[in-house]
Structures are given as C-alpha cells and as structure tokens.
Amino acid sequence: MTTFAASSGFDDRPSPFAGDDVCLRAGLALPDGTRRPLFDDDLWDFTEVIGLAVHIPLSNRRFNFALIGDPRWRLVAKELIMAVLAPRHPAVAELPKAYRTPLHLRSCIGRLNELTRFFRWLEHRRVAELADIDTHTCEAYLAFRRYILDEDGSVVGEQSPAVRRAAAQIIVDLVNYRDLFTADRVRGDFRPWGGASASAVAEMRSGRDGNTTPAVADEILQPMLAAALHLVQVIGPHAAALNEQIREYDQIHSARATDLDRATATPVDDIMAMLANYTTTGTPLPQHEEREIAKRLAAGWSADDPLLPVATGILARQAGRRQILSRWMPRLRGPLTDAVSTVGTEKFFVRDAEDAPTADGATRPWSPPLHRSEAVAVVGIVRTAAIIVLAASSGMRSSELMELRVGCRRPVEEPIPGLKRYRIASKIVKGQPLGGTDDEWVVIEPAFRAVELAEQLQPDPSEGTLLFSRFAFKVRYTWFCNWVNSAAGQRLGLASIPEGPVSLRMLRRTIALELAYRPGGVLAAKLQLKHIATATTEGYAARPGGAQAELLAEVNKHEADRNLQLVLAEFHNYRNGTRPAGPGARSLTEFFASIDADLNAESAASPKVQANDRDILNLLSKRAQVLHLGPANYCWFTDPSRALCLKLAGTPTATRPMIGMCDSARCPQATHHQVHRPVWAEHAERTKTFLGQLGKTRATERQRLTTDHTRALRVIADIDTAASKDPS
C-alpha cells in the first residue's frame, strides 16, 4: 500500500479504497477465473464484465491510470473514478455533493480521459499542486477546450457544448469530492464559476429547447434508401450465395486450411493434373489481385511473363499444397504457360453471375467476376444496406441494433387472414440496468427480411451469435456511398448519393418526423409509411414503455408541433386574405375570426403590447389538437358524429377519423387550402387523361370518371376563389 507525505495540511491517512476489489465495490460481475482489477492497479480492465452493452468499444473498457505521470494525481483520479462507480461506499456517502447513483462505465472513462487531459495541461503550465488552481486557471482550461486550433495555433473552430461541459465537470468534481482525496486536493474555499453547474458553464441548450438532431436531407435519403432496398431485396440473395462460397473457399483453399500439405509422393504431378482439369473444362486459371502483381513486379518479375497474373498459390492449395515451391517451377512452367494460353486467367469469384434486374429497369449479370477481397467487400456493402433498411424503417438505436443476435426473428403471426405481424427481439440498453432489458420490435416486412439477410451474411451463422456485433456506422456508410457512387453501383442503375451527414440518430429522427408529418415525405414513398405507422403502433401496445413507446412519444411531440405550426400558418393566411375552401371552411373561418377578435380586444386594452406567435399559439392550441392530415385536405375532427368517414365505416363513436375513407368534398369537417391545390390539379389532369383513353362502350366508367373530374375541378375553383377574396 502506497502513502504520500503530508502537504498543505494533509495527513498520512491511506486512501479509503486501498486494496479494494473494484468490481466487487461497484457491483460488477466477472466470469469465474477472470483477473479482478484492484484499486491499487494502474490498469483496471473491465473487458469481461458480464452484461456490458455490445456497443461499448474495447478501449472504453480499460481504465489506464498510468497515463497520469504524477503519482499523487494518479491516486486522485483513482479515488474520483472509484467514488462515482461506488457511491454507496461509506467514505463517499457522507460527501454532500457526491453522486448518489453509480455512473456507467462509459461515463467514467470519459471522466478519466478528461481528467488525464487536465492534469497534463496543468503540468504543461507548471502547476505543481491542485491547491494552486484558481479561477483564472479554470477559465484558461475552459478556453483551451473550447476552441479548435490548427498547426499554427490559430482558431479554426469551436468544440461542442458537450466537450466544454466535460472540461468544466472535471473541475467541479475536484471541488465536490475534495474531502475524499488523500494525496492532493483543491483549496477548501475554492468555488469555480461561482458554484454554477457544468452545463451552465458550457452554455448547453436546455432540454426544453427540443431535439437538435437534424433529419437526413431528402436529397440524400431518397437515393440512399433506394440503393439500400435494391441491394437487400434484389442483390441480397446473390450476396448470401457469394458469402457461402467465400466461407467454403476459406475452409478448403485458405492458406490456413488444416488438410493442406498432405503426404503425396508426386506433388508436381498433382498440380499438373489440376492444370489438365482446368484445360479440359475450359475454366480460366485464378487471377492474382493487382497488389499481388505489383509485389511480383517489385520482386523482379518481368512484365511480359505470361505467368505474372496467375494465382499459383490458389492452384497449389487446390492440389493440397500451401504453395508451389521454386524447385518445382522448371517442370511446371511449361504446363502453366500452355494453360494460360489456352484458357487465360480470370478472377476467382462470381464467374457466371446470374441475371438480375437493375434499379433503372434493365437486366444484366448481378456482378462481374471478383477477387476474394472484392467479394468480401460486396458482402460487407450488402450488410450495411441491411443495417440502413432496418434502422430507417424501425427507428432502432445503434445500441439496440448491435444487441441483435442470430435467431432474433420471431415466428411470423397472422392474427387476421392476410395481415401478418413481423417481430424481432433485441435489448434496450439506454437508461437500463447493466445487462439491458429484453424487448421486441414489431416491424414491417422489409425490415424483417433485412434481418433474415443479415443472418445469412454472418461469417458464423450459429444461433445466438451477434448479428452485426459492434460497428462504426460512419465508416460503413462512407464505404456504402463510395460503392454506390462507383462504377459498381452505376452498373446496377443506382442513383448517386450526394455528400452529406448521415447517422443512425439522424435516421431515427427522420422516421419520427416522417411519421409525425404524414402523409407526405420520401420515407412514405419508399417504405409505405402507413405500414410503418401500423407496425410501430402494434409495438407500442405489445410492450408499453418499451423502445417503440419511446419512439411514439417522440412522434407524438413532433405531430403536436406540426399541427400547431400548420394552424398558425393558416391563421396568418386568413389574416392576409387567403381563406380556406371546402365544406368545413365556414366553421374554420368563424373560429379564426373569433381568435382575431380576441387579439384585437387585447391590443385595444393594452396598445403597447403586441401579440406574438406564442400568444396566438396558446389560443390555437385546442384546435390544433383535432387537426388530422389527409393527402388532399385537412380534417378538423371536432365532432365524431359529423364525420362522414365514420358514418361510412359504421363506427360513429371512434375517437380518430379514418383518413383513408375521407371524401373531403362532402365531409363538413374537411377543408382545402392552397397547399392541397397541386394534389387536386394532378388528380384532375390524370382523370382527364383516362377519360380520353376510354372507348365508346365504357359508358359506366366514363360517367364515374366524369363525375370525379368535375368534382376535382370544383375543388380547384373553390380553392382559387377563396384565395382571391378581399379580407376587408
């Protein structure tokens, strides 16, 4: 046990954690026989802790205190990390400002990394003791962590508030846990930033400001989803067969195969027999990859040598040998040269690719011949496509995707003939105890099939194996875009994906917004949004409080925000003279007039106070709660007994309208606005085209389409008339 000499009033008491088993104190379980990290160790290895989430990188499971040079500060770091891991320790429980809930290992490694950086910064500034830290030191370190500098020391950017918060939090922790430290500590009267919280110091946005994660831009989302769906649904089966071929090849022909170098008296004859088989069947010899050819040229091979592109190693392994020895070449060069001149060379994989439809409507072989590295890359690209389809259609977090295992697909249910329910099982990690909480997602069929394909693409498809394991989506997405935008993707007719940020958080945000802002959106067009809404809604009922319920809460919030903004926009249109049209126009206009009158009365009473959008939204909020979006109208569901869709469906007591059965030209609660005019105009134009193509014998169909066309023209005329009314 190590103790340090008293300094600045310190006593010689040992650390309260000296000799402790870290995992035992923190309540972390380890498999039997695993070395347990002790407090006095400079490396705490939590790699084998039972229940750690898959998405936690290995680097975040090893706490290396040896990176802190000063042994006093190293002990301070150990005591602080131990205190936040085990807040119920008697020495920690008595501290008034200590955390009462254990921090996650990932939060602890963040604390340690920032503390290590802070101590190095102090050493660079020649600060010898923590007692020397003052307000100026804190401000200087915060400024150091705030800005991004180039090689010349010039400011080129600013760090995120999260980075600034981490920097401030370390200093706050050194103050809050001061009495715990036994080797060095800050002054007792030191109060950095006047006692403000780290979030306040970092100027972090309040949670009331809403989610700041942006949605994926439409110009990126559309080609990305189109490419991912094509690769999963069309190329996926071929990629699965290719993956099986790679697995068999590695088992038989890999240099590490166990049955190579078998004892034969005539290895040269075996190889020549292999060459004869190639020649007889007309099969091209396996071709070396470009990098291997470059190595041969660098080793002195002639560029004119006919054997330069021949992958002799593959031929040797097919004949049961690891390689062709140089002493065999005098006898083999002639037969090899003859074989090359007869059948040539070709890449080993996908030599006879099956035809497949391309994204632009053509048909061609799904892939050209590939080297092994290229084949592995194609399988990896299709795996990434499966991740994109699953994430974009289910809204699963990255941690939940990484917890998926082979066999996670549940049996398909059919509660009603023709209506199938698809479920996959995973774990919720965020906000859950160590080990996570088992959960199930109800998904649409494309997501279910993406999981099925991912299982087939697994190197080890045995039950219970991690399906995707830990992956870096940013890296995978970069490879995916590069491949789609390359000649390989263009060959399949895939549209190029523009540059721009895409992350799994952004995909989750996108599906939440698309669900809330239905019925429009790219996601709706590509993945049939109504099916997604139905599937996720089933998931909410299946497990209240589960992961899909959290997504539902986010969707509902976005939907409420959307409704408020739409009602506010229509109120401003009303004030500017653009009136609504449709059967429910009078009711909505009267409501807007009453709101306008209330605002005018308030303005007359307090002429110096101007009503802003927030005041107007408060008055409009109740009407926003009954707004539902149809594809060509707004439905103001104020009175179920007047809803035409419910009367047609025979469900007059329903609490929500049946938008799919809406006849907005006749329903007294439906209105048409300028935003709906293009939909009606397109419908009128298409109906007119169909009428012109009908034969003389189609009288019934002509009458129906004529009525439909007349109605569309009437709605368009009403919208134009309402927009041109004089507000005075």
Side-chain angles (χ1 to χ4, degrees):
M1 180 179 64
T2 304
T3 59
F4 297 93
S7 163
S8 303
F10 279 78
D11 53 26
D12 290 328
R13 63 188 175 97
S15 173
F17 307 111
D20 276 359
D21 182 323
V22 178
C23 288
L24 185 63
R25 278 289 186 189
L28 304 176
L30 287 170
D32 294 339
T34 305
R35 187 186 183 282
R36 308 182 69 86
L38 302 178
F39 176 81
D40 297 323
D41 296 338
D42 286 340
L43 177 65
W44 297 356
D45 192 345
F46 299 107
T47 303
E48 302 299 327
V49 168
I50 298 173
L52 282 184
V54 175
H55 75 281
I56 300 178
L58 293 179
S59 59
N60 285 358
R61 304 183 185 198
R62 300 187 182 98
F63 292 19
N64 188 1
F65 296 93
L67 298 177
I68 301 175
D70 191 316
R72 298 172 304 149
W73 292 351
R74 192 182 310 155
L75 181 58
V76 168
K78 290 182 182 180
E79 290 172 337
L80 176 59
I81 299 304
M82 192 68 181
V84 296
L85 277 174
R88 297 183 180 180
H89 189 283
V92 182
E94 63 185 16
L95 300 177
K97 294 185 178 181
Y99 290 100
R100 303 308 176 196
T101 302
L103 292 188
H104 195 278
L105 282 180
R106 198 161 191 179
S107 300
C108 293
I109 190 65
R111 290 282 210 284
L112 176 58
N113 290 340
E114 190 64 40
L115 194 60
T116 302
R117 186 181 291 108
F118 179 56
F119 285 155
R120 286 178 176 175
W121 182 83
L122 290 177
E123 290 176 348
H124 181 72
R125 293 174 63 93
R126 302 187 184 281
V127 176
E129 296 183 351
L130 297 183
D132 296 334
I133 298 176
D134 55 17
T135 300
H136 176 72
T137 307
C138 297
E139 292 292 350
Y141 183 66
L142 188 62
F144 166 72
R145 293 292 284 143
R146 175 184 290 270
Y147 300 109
I148 303 174
L149 307 179
D150 60 12
E151 296 178 355
D152 299 327
S154 301
V155 176
V156 295
E158 189 169 340
Q159 299 280 14
S160 68
V163 174
R164 302 198 298 268
R165 183 189 182 281
Q169 186 64 58
I170 283 302
I171 299 175
V172 172
D173 286 345
L174 290 176
V175 173
N176 291 343
Y177 289 87
R178 174 187 180 278
D179 294 337
L180 180 71
F181 304 140
T182 56
D184 198 4
R185 63 177 70 140
V186 298
R187 299 191 317 272
D189 60 347
F190 179 53
R191 290 294 179 270
W193 301 293
S197 68
S199 297
V201 173
E203 302 170 358
M204 294 196 74
R205 289 168 55 96
S206 169
R208 293 187 297 272
D209 295 335
N211 194 335
T212 60
T213 301
V216 180
D218 283 353
E219 60 270 17
I220 298 176
L221 181 66
Q222 184 173 6
M224 178 194 71
L225 271 182
L229 285 168
H230 185 82
L231 289 174
V232 169
Q233 297 172 352
V234 178
I235 306 301
H238 303 292
L242 175 59
N243 186 61
E244 184 63 28
Q245 184 183 359
I246 295 172
R247 188 183 299 119
E248 293 176 355
Y249 170 86
D250 290 344
Q251 291 175 350
I252 300 174
H253 303 310
S254 169
R256 294 185 297 272
T258 57
D259 60 343
L260 295 179
D261 284 342
R262 55 178 179 263
T264 58
T266 57
V268 175
D269 293 340
D270 293 339
I271 296 173
M272 293 179 66
M274 180 67 63
L275 292 174
N277 183 60
Y278 271 96
T279 305
T280 303
T281 59
T283 304
L285 299 182
Q287 187 181 96
H288 251 323
E289 298 191 32
E290 293 298 328
R291 65 172 181 271
E292 297 299 331
I293 294 177
K295 289 181 180 179
R296 285 185 170 182
L297 291 173
W301 282 58
S302 170
D304 298 326
D305 192 330
L307 302 187
L308 179 65
V310 178
T312 53
I314 295 179
L315 293 175
R317 289 188 286 275
Q318 288 177 333
R321 295 284 171 169
R322 295 189 185 277
Q323 58 183 344
I324 294 180
L325 302 181
S326 57
R327 66 175 183 269
W328 301 343
M329 285 304 296
R331 291 183 57 191
L332 290 175
R333 172 166 285 277
L336 281 169
T337 304
D338 293 341
V340 171
S341 63
T342 302
V343 298
T345 61
E346 183 58 275
K347 297 178 181 180
F348 190 78
F349 293 92
V350 202
R351 289 184 170 182
D352 299 310
E354 299 177 358
D355 287 344
T358 61
D360 55 3
T363 301
R364 59 174 59 97
W366 75 271
S367 173
L370 302 171
H371 290 302
R372 184 188 180 281
S373 62
E374 295 171 332
V376 171
V378 168
V379 172
I381 294 300
V382 177
R383 278 170 57 87
T384 302
I387 293 174
I388 292 174
V389 170
L390 181 57
S393 60
S394 69
M396 296 178 72
R397 299 185 179 93
S398 59
S399 59
E400 295 158 0
L401 289 170
M402 294 181 200
E403 293 291 340
L404 290 172
R405 296 181 180 271
V406 175
C408 63
R409 290 179 297 124
R410 294 295 179 253
V412 179
E413 300 175 348
E414 193 169 359
I416 301 174
L419 178 63
K420 295 182 179 180
R421 179 182 288 115
Y422 302 93
R423 297 174 298 135
I424 56 176
S426 183
K427 286 185 177 181
I428 307 176
V429 174
K430 184 176 180 180
Q432 303 299 311
L434 191 66
T437 302
D438 291 336
D439 198 7
E440 288 187 354
W441 280 256
V442 180
V443 297
I444 58 175
E445 185 176 2
F448 192 80
R449 299 306 172 200
V451 173
E452 181 180 20
L453 175 62
E455 290 178 341
Q456 298 172 7
L457 298 179
Q458 255 288 71
D460 179 13
S462 56
E463 189 84 7
T465 304
L466 287 172
L467 187 62
F468 298 117
S469 190
R470 185 169 50 253
F471 60 86
F473 182 78
K474 183 177 181 180
V475 175
R476 278 188 167 273
Y477 178 72
T478 300
W479 292 344
F480 177 81
C481 284
N482 291 342
W483 190 90
V484 170
N485 295 342
S486 70
Q490 304 304 308
R491 183 178 175 278
L492 294 177
L494 302 177
S496 297
I497 303 175
E499 291 186 5
V502 175
S503 67
L504 292 177
R505 282 188 178 183
M506 294 173 68
L507 286 176
R508 178 181 171 88
R509 171 81 161 157
T510 301
I511 188 175
L513 290 173
E514 294 292 350
L515 285 170
Y517 283 70
R518 61 184 182 273
V522 176
L523 198 63
K526 291 297 178 186
L527 292 177
Q528 301 173 334
L529 186 59
K530 291 180 181 178
H531 291 181
I532 294 178
T534 301
T536 50
T537 303
E538 289 177 351
Y540 312 144
R543 178 176 162 74
Q548 286 186 322
E550 295 180 19
L551 181 60
L552 173 63
E554 186 176 347
V555 170
N556 287 342
K557 183 181 183 304
H558 292 318
E559 189 173 17
D561 294 342
R562 173 210 68 187
N563 285 358
L564 275 173
Q565 294 303 319
L566 289 177
V567 176
L568 178 62
E570 291 306 325
F571 178 72
H572 286 316
N573 288 338
Y574 162 81
R575 281 187 153 184
N576 295 330
T578 302
R579 300 290 193 262
R586 175 177 295 183
S587 174
L588 183 61
T589 301
E590 291 175 351
F591 170 74
F592 285 158
S594 67
I595 296 297
D596 202 19
D598 291 342
L599 293 174
N600 290 334
E602 292 180 9
S603 178
S606 304
K608 294 184 179 181
V609 179
Q610 298 294 324
N612 56 28
D613 280 354
R614 183 69 261 172
D615 299 326
I616 299 174
L617 285 174
N618 290 335
L619 297 173
L620 298 175
S621 59
K622 287 187 177 180
R623 184 56 64 108
Q625 293 173 3
V626 299
L627 172 60
H628 300 271
L629 269 62
N633 69 287
Y634 290 159
C635 171
W636 307 91
F637 195 67
T638 57
D639 186 356
S641 64
R642 301 178 62 207
L644 179 61
C645 60
L646 300 188
K647 292 179 180 179
L648 295 175
T651 57
T653 59
T655 58
R656 294 177 65 90
M658 304 181 70
I659 294 295
M661 298 184 64
C662 181
D663 184 354
S664 61
R666 296 192 297 142
C667 181
Q669 298 186 127
T671 58
H672 303 131
H673 303 260
Q674 279 293 313
V675 69
H676 302 126
R677 192 186 189 284
V679 180
W680 285 102
E682 181 182 2
H683 176 62
E685 186 63 28
R686 288 183 178 180
T687 307
K688 181 180 178 180
T689 302
F690 291 151
L691 279 170
Q693 296 174 348
L694 287 178
K696 295 181 179 180
T697 59
R698 307 287 294 279
T700 303
E701 186 68 14
R702 178 178 295 277
Q703 182 179 1
R704 186 186 67 80
L705 288 177
T706 300
T707 302
D708 201 17
H709 184 249
T710 303
R711 182 185 63 171
L713 293 178
R714 185 177 71 251
V715 171
I716 295 171
D718 290 344
I719 293 175
D720 292 340
T721 301
S724 62
K725 286 184 178 179
D726 187 352
S728 61

